[in-house]
Amino acid sequence: MFDKYLFKGSLRYDGSSRFGEVNWYGFFPAASAGWIISEEDFLRDSGTLSLLKLRGSWGITGNAGIGNFASLGLFSGRAYNQRAALYPSQLGNPELKWERTQQVDIGLDYGLFNSRVTGEIDYYVKTTNDLLLDQPIPGTSGFSSITRNVGSMVNRGFEFVLNTRNITGIDFNWSTSFNLSTLDNEVKELPGGDIVSGLNIVREGETISSFYMVEYAWCRSR
């Protein structure tokens, strides 16, 4: 029985001083389950199907991919009137917290002809909340942007893998591997409005970091 049904779970409690003091720690659970269908009596003696496994997983991960002092107000040194001085170089955000991504994955592993043909088929959905972005603020504040948790986005897609062992011998082996994947990315929510950085823009309904350029028409003169 335990060879057919698989269960796994994990609990993470991570901390990072990059965030505000009250938000240093994040709790990230995960769980997965699998069913090896090919071990059931009605498939165990199959001469064609060597593996058929249905699996699913759910979990939450955290992202701390920001600067070491993004939550703090910083000062830097410079010369003023030929004297050493300090000036505020970064606006602090004590409420800064973990970016959280929840992922659901459903997959199928298969093997045919004594595992000469193997592969995987997966469908996943990743929902990210509290995106860590540099949000523009009015220039009258003395700063151009502040690091904040703003908005959410969704990634979803399929993954397909096909592996084959075409020739297996002592002196010569030939195997192939083919994979195909799709990705659909969309910013679902951005309360503060568009975020433009150089040629990139973050906008509701668009993919993350889409190109933001001047529209133009091209024509060829005779």
Side-chain angles (χ1 to χ4, degrees):
M1 174 179 178
F2 296 105
D3 294 333
K4 298 186 248 184
Y5 309 113
L6 310 172
F7 300 95
K8 184 178 181 180
S10 65
L11 299 173
R12 292 181 62 98
Y13 191 62
D14 296 339
S16 174
S17 58
R18 291 177 173 178
F19 302 113
E21 187 173 354
V22 297
N23 296 313
W24 278 5
Y25 297 97
F27 178 64
F28 308 109
S32 62
W35 176 26
I36 305 179
I37 307 173
S38 54
E39 288 296 314
E40 298 290 351
D41 292 338
F42 58 86
L43 283 178
R44 184 175 297 172
D45 297 326
S46 172
T48 302
L49 191 65
S50 51
L51 173 65
L52 186 63
K53 177 183 176 183
L54 180 66
R55 50 183 168 77
S57 62
W58 167 89
I60 297 177
T61 57
N63 175 31
I66 54 176
N68 287 330
F69 310 105
S71 66
L72 303 178
L74 301 181
F75 289 79
S76 298
R78 67 163 45 171
Y80 177 77
N81 195 24
Q82 298 182 348
R83 294 184 180 182
L86 292 174
Y87 75 99
S89 58
Q90 177 177 285
L91 190 60
N93 180 9
E95 297 180 356
L96 202 62
K97 58 185 179 181
W98 288 86
E99 178 182 292
R100 298 168 63 87
T101 297
Q102 176 178 265
Q103 179 167 345
V104 177
D105 186 281
I106 299 175
L108 187 71
D109 298 338
Y110 61 89
L112 303 170
F113 312 115
N114 197 26
S115 295
R116 292 184 70 91
V117 178
T118 60
E120 304 172 13
I121 302 173
D122 285 274
Y123 176 72
Y124 65 90
V125 179
K126 296 174 64 175
T127 303
T128 302
N129 295 304
D130 299 321
L131 291 170
L132 289 167
L133 296 172
D134 290 330
Q135 186 178 41
I137 55 177
T140 52
S141 66
F143 301 89
S144 60
S145 64
I146 182 174
T147 304
R148 281 180 175 160
N149 298 96
V150 288
S152 64
M153 70 175 180
V154 174
N155 291 286
R156 57 170 60 90
F158 287 93
E159 295 180 347
F160 176 76
V161 178
L162 175 64
N163 304 307
T164 62
R165 292 186 295 138
N166 305 309
I167 298 177
T168 57
I170 299 176
D171 299 321
F172 180 74
N173 290 281
W174 175 29
S175 62
T176 59
S177 181
F178 171 79
N179 65 80
L180 176 68
S181 63
T182 66
L183 172 61
D184 180 20
N185 170 263
E186 181 183 357
V187 177
K188 303 296 289 185
E189 183 182 2
L190 201 63
D194 297 348
I195 297 177
V196 181
S197 177
L199 296 178
N200 297 116
I201 184 172
V202 182
R203 172 180 287 173
E204 279 190 24
E206 303 288 344
T207 60
I208 193 80
S209 295
S210 296
F211 287 109
Y212 182 68
M213 295 180 289
V214 177
E215 293 186 12
Y216 67 93
W218 179 83
C219 63
R220 183 175 62 183
S221 58
R222 295 183 178 179

